[in-house]
Structure formats: structure tokens, C-alpha cells
Amino acid sequence: MRIGVIGTGRIGTLHARTLHRHREVGSLILTDADPARAQALAHRLGETAAPGTDEIFKWGVDAVVITTATAAHAELIGRAARSGLPVFCEKPIALDLPGTLHALAEVEKAGTILQMGFQRRFDAGYAGAREAVRAGRLGRLHTVRALTCDQSPPPAPWLPLSGGLFRDTLIHDFDILRWVTGREVASVYAVGSDRGPAMFREAGDVDTGAALLTLDDGTLAVATATRLNGAGYDVRMELAGERDTVVVGLDDRTPLASTEPTGPPPADKPWTGFPERFGPAYEAELAAFVEVVCGERPNPCDGREALQALRIAEACEISRQERRPVSPAEIPDR
């Protein structure tokens, strides 16, 4: 199998290395907006670099992996669909709803595969939580708490291109909330704070956000995120039911310090970012993509799943700006 990787930044490099090691992948063609960066990675891996995206499609590949800046995702998804190629794409599909719907329409018209990069679905902790909920071990689920905390903020020029905290960061929590619980979000009320560096205010974004979500069975969920968690990279989910409570993301590297005299000691080596925290999950999702392309398993996270997470994020952004509860049902899905 020959796979084209479009985008060789941090996550693109991670994916290229994973695919390079996969027994079913014979070769890669790498390209990037910075040709020198793609060439350097290709040299390190012993793979081929292409001068641009056009060559990916002209030289012939069996599948495409998209890890470019978000603004390019929708166009590339559409181009791959028109070429009849299966696609793995990092979230989100687009920065806005119209772009997302247009890309999905192209995929559905072509009848091709689009697998989205929500790697938490392949994390052992989240999979264990899903099993606990679905098996009824927690009893009636009444409360869910989810959080994503980055240790340090992203570069200022990237913020206006990110889509904002709810679409870029909390969208992971919204997707995994649906996946773990098997429920839909009925309403949201979201707020944000921009008391951090001025670059967030200048970008019209917030550095910290919180959303109260009511699920369609009445379960209450709270999702929070920040770009400024100096203790380390912290991603967790707590699920509380009438019988038991479980937590995802609590281990000896969780950046927490207890104030209790008999509490656990602080982590010696707290997580610093998503590549190391979710390394095994990233490998598993790409292994799944190869299996999907080979016809060995169904798509574990298609574009419509990504759309539902985006609709929740869009509802949160409206709620934050208009200071009112919003139902994702107000956001079109066609």
C-alpha cells in the first residue's frame, strides 16, 4: 500500500513515522507547505518527498492522510473524494459548518472513505470507561466531568486559524462524551475567560472555557479546557453513577498535587503534551485506518461523527457569545 501524507508538522511527522513502520504500508509520499520540511522527513525515513500536493494525486497513491493546517482540510478531502481515494484526516473537517457540510457531501457523493482523527476513541482508558458504562457497572450515570488542559499556549499567529477553544480543543471532549456514554447532547450553556495573554483577546478567542451539557437522558456533563495549565498536560474524564465512579487519565504522570496529608505525591514526570500522552492511541487509529482501507473493518469514526462533535462546539460558541442555552438541534446537519 502506498499512502500520501499531506502535512509534515508535528502530528504529520508522528503519523508518517507510524505508517512507515506498518507492515501493510509499502511506501509513503510526503509533502508540506514547506517543501524542505517534507524533504528532511522523507530523507530520515527513507521515503519519497513530493514538491506539492498535486504530485500526491498525479504519482498515484492508495490512500491519503491529511495533517495540514485546518483551513486546507475540506478542499483536500473533496479532492481525494473526487479521486476515489480513502482519507484519514485530523479534526476538524473545516473551520466552519458550511465547509464541513460541503466536504461531507463530496465524500458521500463519491462513496469514498473518510476517517477522522479523534484519537481518544483508541485510548485504553476511554475504551475502559465506555465498557464500564455500556455494561451497566456504574448504574444510572448521573454526572460526567471532562477536561483538557494544555501546559502552554499555542503560537499567537495560529490562534485566528484554530477555530477557537471550543472547536479546536473541547471538540475532543464532545466527541468522546458521545462515544463513551452513547448519548446525544440535548443542550449546552458555555462561558469563556480571556484573562490570560492578550493574544487570545486579539484573536477573538478565550484561553479558558467551560460548558454545562445536558444529555438526552438527563445526565449532566461539565467540560472544561484551558491553554494555560502550568502543571502539565492534563486530560481526564470522570463518570459517576449510582453504583460506582470511574476516572480516565489518572496515573503516575497526571499533573496533580494533593493537599491531603496522606494524598499521593506529585508526578515526577508529568505529561507535557498530546504526542506522548496519546502516543499508543495515535498508532492504533492509523492501524485501524489501514484495516479500513484493506476492507478488514468498518470505519470507526466517519465524517458524520465529526460533524456531530462540531455541532456541539458550534452550539457552545453561540452560547458563549449570546449568553444563553443552545441546543445542537439549532445547528444544521445537512
Side-chain angles (χ1 to χ4, degrees):
M1 182 185 301
R2 192 184 204 190
I3 296 181
V5 179
I6 306 176
T8 57
R10 182 165 58 165
I11 192 67
T13 296
L14 179 67
H15 287 343
R17 287 174 174 163
T18 297
L19 291 167
H20 172 72
R21 296 191 302 267
H22 198 288
R23 64 183 183 278
E24 296 293 337
V25 179
S27 62
L28 303 175
I29 303 177
L30 313 176
T31 192
D32 192 88
D34 179 357
R37 183 164 65 178
Q39 183 65 56
L41 179 59
H43 179 73
R44 291 197 299 272
L45 297 178
E47 301 286 359
T48 301
T53 302
D54 289 345
E55 284 73 19
I56 293 286
F57 295 96
K58 290 179 181 177
W59 293 357
V61 294
D62 300 299
V64 174
V65 170
I66 299 172
T67 60
T68 61
T70 298
H73 287 185
E75 179 185 353
L76 291 170
I77 289 170
R79 185 169 183 181
R82 294 189 297 273
S83 300
L85 293 172
V87 173
F88 175 92
C89 184
E90 280 299 324
K91 62 81 194 166
I93 293 173
L95 286 174
D96 58 17
L97 191 65
T100 299
L101 293 173
H102 180 74
L104 287 177
E106 292 220 63
V107 170
E108 291 170 2
K109 179 180 179 181
T112 52
I113 294 166
L114 170 61
Q115 180 181 328
M116 295 303 299
F118 282 106
Q119 86 284 350
R120 295 186 194 182
R121 292 180 176 221
F122 297 87
D123 177 75
Y126 285 106
R130 173 185 164 101
E131 180 183 358
V133 171
R134 302 300 179 89
R137 282 167 36 204
L138 308 185
R140 182 186 67 84
L141 189 66
H142 53 73
T143 308
V144 182
R145 304 175 187 90
L147 61 88
T148 297
C149 302
D150 292 326
Q151 184 175 28
S152 56
W158 180 83
L159 284 175
L161 308 175
S162 71
L165 187 68
F166 291 96
R167 298 186 190 95
D168 176 63
T169 300
L170 277 164
I171 195 169
H172 277 290
D173 297 276
F174 302 149
D175 175 72
I176 206 65
L177 175 64
R178 295 180 62 246
W179 188 76
V180 168
T181 66
R183 312 304 309 189
E184 297 296 340
V185 174
S187 68
V188 306
Y189 188 87
V191 294
S193 170
D194 61 2
R195 296 176 59 209
M199 63 182 184
F200 292 98
R201 291 183 291 279
E202 292 165 359
D205 197 6
V206 293
D207 57 71
T208 304
L212 173 63
L213 307 101
T214 303
L215 307 190
D216 57 8
D217 65 347
T219 300
L220 297 181
V222 178
T224 64
T226 184
R227 305 282 198 186
L228 303 165
N229 197 59
Y233 182 72
D234 192 3
V235 175
R236 281 177 283 129
M237 173 182 271
E238 298 173 13
L239 299 107
E242 292 183 343
R243 294 181 185 168
D244 202 359
T245 298
V246 295
V247 59
V248 180
L250 181 61
D251 59 22
D252 59 359
R253 298 192 65 182
T254 305
L256 290 174
S258 175
T259 60
E260 298 296 333
T262 59
D268 289 335
K269 296 180 180 179
W271 299 110
T272 59
F274 61 85
E276 59 172 356
R277 165 65 179 84
F278 289 110
Y282 282 119
E283 291 197 18
E285 71 175 355
L286 284 178
F289 177 61
V290 173
E291 291 175 358
V292 170
V293 174
C294 291
E296 297 173 355
R297 67 174 292 173
N299 191 341
C301 187
D302 64 21
R304 285 285 161 186
E305 291 290 288
L307 173 62
Q308 298 313 314
L310 177 63
R311 292 173 73 221
I312 299 169
E314 291 285 333
C316 285
E317 192 59 44
I318 293 172
S319 176
R320 179 181 76 87
Q321 294 178 9
E322 299 184 3
R323 298 177 180 272
R324 66 176 179 90
V326 177
S327 170
E330 298 179 35
I331 313 300
D333 63 357
R334 292 287 175 183

